[in-house]
Short mmCIF file of all heavy atoms in Angstrom, two decimals:
data_model
loop_
_atom_site.label_atom_id
_atom_site.label_comp_id
_atom_site.label_asym_id
_atom_site.label_seq_id
_atom_site.Cartn_x
_atom_site.Cartn_y
_atom_site.Cartn_z
N ALA N 16 0.85 -1.19 -0.06
CA ALA N 16 0.00 0.01 -0.03
C ALA N 16 0.88 1.22 0.01
O ALA N 16 0.56 2.33 -0.57
CB ALA N 16 -0.93 0.01 1.24
N SER N 17 2.00 1.14 0.62
CA SER N 17 2.94 2.32 0.76
C SER N 17 3.59 2.60 -0.62
O SER N 17 4.05 3.68 -0.79
CB SER N 17 3.98 2.11 1.86
OG SER N 17 4.87 1.07 1.40
N LEU N 18 3.65 1.69 -1.58
CA LEU N 18 4.18 1.84 -2.78
C LEU N 18 3.22 2.51 -3.82
O LEU N 18 3.69 2.84 -5.00
CB LEU N 18 4.62 0.49 -3.42
CG LEU N 18 5.79 -0.20 -2.52
CD1 LEU N 18 6.04 -1.54 -3.09
CD2 LEU N 18 7.01 0.67 -2.34
N VAL N 19 1.98 2.64 -3.49
CA VAL N 19 1.01 3.25 -4.43
C VAL N 19 1.36 4.73 -4.54
O VAL N 19 1.73 5.36 -3.52
CB VAL N 19 -0.44 3.11 -3.78
CG1 VAL N 19 -1.39 3.89 -4.73
CG2 VAL N 19 -0.79 1.62 -3.75
N LYS N 20 1.32 5.22 -5.79
CA LYS N 20 1.72 6.59 -6.02
C LYS N 20 0.48 7.47 -6.22
O LYS N 20 -0.74 7.07 -6.45
CB LYS N 20 2.53 6.71 -7.29
CG LYS N 20 3.76 5.89 -7.31
CD LYS N 20 4.63 6.10 -8.49
CE LYS N 20 4.01 5.59 -9.79
NZ LYS N 20 3.94 4.14 -9.79
N GLU N 21 0.57 8.80 -6.00
CA GLU N 21 -0.52 9.71 -6.09
C GLU N 21 -1.15 9.76 -7.38
O GLU N 21 -2.29 10.08 -7.58
CB GLU N 21 -0.13 11.14 -5.57
CG GLU N 21 1.00 11.74 -6.45
CD GLU N 21 1.23 13.13 -5.99
OE1 GLU N 21 0.38 13.84 -5.42
OE2 GLU N 21 2.41 13.59 -6.25
N THR N 22 -0.30 9.53 -8.40
CA THR N 22 -0.83 9.48 -9.87
C THR N 22 -1.52 8.20 -10.19
O THR N 22 -2.07 8.06 -11.35
CB THR N 22 0.35 9.82 -10.86
OG1 THR N 22 1.41 8.90 -10.52
CG2 THR N 22 0.81 11.24 -10.60
N ASP N 23 -1.42 7.15 -9.34
CA ASP N 23 -2.16 6.00 -9.62
C ASP N 23 -3.68 6.10 -9.51
O ASP N 23 -4.21 6.98 -8.79
CB ASP N 23 -1.79 4.82 -8.59
CG ASP N 23 -0.25 4.31 -8.88
OD1 ASP N 23 0.27 4.64 -9.93
OD2 ASP N 23 0.22 3.69 -7.98
N VAL N 24 -4.42 5.27 -10.29
CA VAL N 24 -5.79 5.43 -10.25
C VAL N 24 -6.22 4.75 -8.90
O VAL N 24 -5.74 3.79 -8.41
CB VAL N 24 -6.47 4.59 -11.44
CG1 VAL N 24 -7.97 4.48 -11.27
CG2 VAL N 24 -6.08 5.08 -12.74
N PHE N 25 -7.23 5.53 -8.28
CA PHE N 25 -7.80 5.10 -7.01
C PHE N 25 -9.09 4.33 -7.19
O PHE N 25 -9.47 3.32 -6.48
CB PHE N 25 -8.05 6.36 -6.10
CG PHE N 25 -8.88 6.10 -4.93
CD1 PHE N 25 -8.43 5.31 -3.93
CD2 PHE N 25 -10.19 6.50 -4.89
CE1 PHE N 25 -9.18 5.04 -2.77
CE2 PHE N 25 -10.96 6.29 -3.75
CZ PHE N 25 -10.52 5.58 -2.67
N LEU N 26 -10.03 4.88 -8.04
CA LEU N 26 -11.32 4.27 -8.20
C LEU N 26 -11.80 4.41 -9.61
O LEU N 26 -11.26 5.29 -10.45
CB LEU N 26 -12.32 4.88 -7.29
CG LEU N 26 -12.90 6.25 -7.46
CD1 LEU N 26 -14.06 6.29 -8.37
CD2 LEU N 26 -13.24 6.96 -6.09
N VAL N 27 -12.73 3.50 -9.98
CA VAL N 27 -13.42 3.70 -11.32
C VAL N 27 -14.85 4.08 -11.06
O VAL N 27 -15.54 3.25 -10.37
CB VAL N 27 -13.25 2.33 -12.03
CG1 VAL N 27 -14.08 2.46 -13.45
CG2 VAL N 27 -11.84 2.01 -12.35
N GLN N 28 -15.28 5.18 -11.41
CA GLN N 28 -16.59 5.69 -11.31
C GLN N 28 -17.41 5.65 -12.56
O GLN N 28 -16.87 5.94 -13.61
CB GLN N 28 -16.65 7.14 -10.73
CG GLN N 28 -17.97 7.65 -10.51
CD GLN N 28 -18.65 7.11 -9.25
OE1 GLN N 28 -18.13 6.25 -8.69
NE2 GLN N 28 -19.88 7.60 -8.97
N HIS N 29 -18.64 5.02 -12.56
CA HIS N 29 -19.40 4.84 -13.78
C HIS N 29 -20.50 5.81 -13.79
O HIS N 29 -21.18 6.16 -12.87
CB HIS N 29 -20.00 3.46 -13.92
CG HIS N 29 -19.05 2.39 -14.18
ND1 HIS N 29 -18.22 1.86 -13.25
CD2 HIS N 29 -18.66 1.80 -15.35
CE1 HIS N 29 -17.43 0.88 -13.78
NE2 HIS N 29 -17.67 0.96 -15.12
N SER N 30 -20.80 6.38 -14.99
CA SER N 30 -21.93 7.31 -15.24
C SER N 30 -23.27 6.36 -15.10
O SER N 30 -23.10 5.12 -15.03
CB SER N 30 -21.96 7.87 -16.58
OG SER N 30 -21.94 6.98 -17.61
N SER N 31 -24.44 7.05 -14.95
CA SER N 31 -25.59 6.31 -14.66
C SER N 31 -26.21 5.52 -15.85
O SER N 31 -26.91 4.62 -15.68
CB SER N 31 -26.63 7.38 -14.12
OG SER N 31 -27.02 8.20 -15.15
N GLY N 32 -25.79 5.97 -17.03
CA GLY N 32 -26.30 5.37 -18.16
C GLY N 32 -27.65 5.73 -18.64
O GLY N 32 -28.34 5.20 -19.39
N THR N 33 -28.19 6.91 -17.97
CA THR N 33 -29.60 7.30 -18.24
C THR N 33 -29.70 7.73 -19.73
O THR N 33 -30.74 7.41 -20.24
CB THR N 33 -29.81 8.60 -17.37
OG1 THR N 33 -29.62 8.28 -15.95
CG2 THR N 33 -31.31 9.03 -17.52
N THR N 34 -28.76 8.29 -20.34
CA THR N 34 -28.87 8.83 -21.64
C THR N 34 -28.00 7.99 -22.75
O THR N 34 -27.78 8.40 -23.79
CB THR N 34 -28.40 10.28 -21.87
OG1 THR N 34 -27.11 10.37 -21.35
CG2 THR N 34 -29.39 11.12 -20.94
N GLY N 35 -27.49 6.89 -22.22
CA GLY N 35 -26.71 6.04 -23.20
C GLY N 35 -25.93 4.99 -22.37
O GLY N 35 -26.27 4.57 -21.28
N LEU N 36 -24.87 4.50 -22.92
CA LEU N 36 -23.98 3.38 -22.34
C LEU N 36 -23.37 4.06 -21.04
O LEU N 36 -22.96 5.16 -20.99
CB LEU N 36 -22.97 2.89 -23.23
CG LEU N 36 -23.45 2.16 -24.44
CD1 LEU N 36 -22.34 1.80 -25.39
CD2 LEU N 36 -24.26 0.89 -24.05
N GLN N 37 -23.29 3.22 -20.03
CA GLN N 37 -22.60 3.68 -18.81
C GLN N 37 -21.05 3.82 -19.15
O GLN N 37 -20.38 2.89 -19.66
CB GLN N 37 -22.79 2.77 -17.66
CG GLN N 37 -24.15 2.72 -17.08
CD GLN N 37 -24.51 1.67 -16.06
OE1 GLN N 37 -24.69 0.55 -16.46
NE2 GLN N 37 -24.49 2.04 -14.90
N LYS N 38 -20.52 4.83 -18.76
CA LYS N 38 -19.08 5.17 -19.15
C LYS N 38 -18.19 5.21 -17.92
O LYS N 38 -18.51 5.75 -16.88
CB LYS N 38 -19.00 6.56 -19.81
CG LYS N 38 -19.80 6.57 -21.03
CD LYS N 38 -19.96 8.01 -21.69
CE LYS N 38 -20.89 8.00 -22.95
NZ LYS N 38 -22.24 7.62 -22.57
N PRO N 39 -17.09 4.57 -17.92
CA PRO N 39 -16.19 4.56 -16.78
C PRO N 39 -15.29 5.76 -16.73
O PRO N 39 -14.73 6.23 -17.82
CB PRO N 39 -15.33 3.29 -16.91
CG PRO N 39 -15.30 3.12 -18.51
CD PRO N 39 -16.55 3.73 -19.05
N ILE N 40 -15.06 6.31 -15.56
CA ILE N 40 -14.09 7.38 -15.33
C ILE N 40 -13.08 6.96 -14.29
O ILE N 40 -13.41 6.49 -13.17
CB ILE N 40 -14.84 8.70 -14.90
CG1 ILE N 40 -15.83 9.20 -15.87
CG2 ILE N 40 -13.80 9.80 -14.52
CD1 ILE N 40 -17.29 8.72 -15.66
N ALA N 41 -11.79 7.07 -14.64
CA ALA N 41 -10.69 6.71 -13.74
C ALA N 41 -10.37 7.86 -13.00
O ALA N 41 -9.98 8.92 -13.51
CB ALA N 41 -9.57 6.14 -14.51
#
């Protein structure tokens, strides 16, 4: 855990998909 860098991705957030395909945001 201590080797993780601040520029590493922390989470993947998805849009709701209300108006189209759900899109992932890193």
Side-chain angles (χ1 to χ4, degrees):
S17 68
L18 297 176
V19 174
K20 301 186 295 292
E21 63 178 331
T22 52
D23 286 346
V24 174
F25 166 71
L26 70 89
V27 177
Q28 180 72 357
H29 288 83
S30 62
S31 65
T33 305
T34 58
L36 295 174
Q37 288 171 287
K38 301 170 183 65
I40 298 93

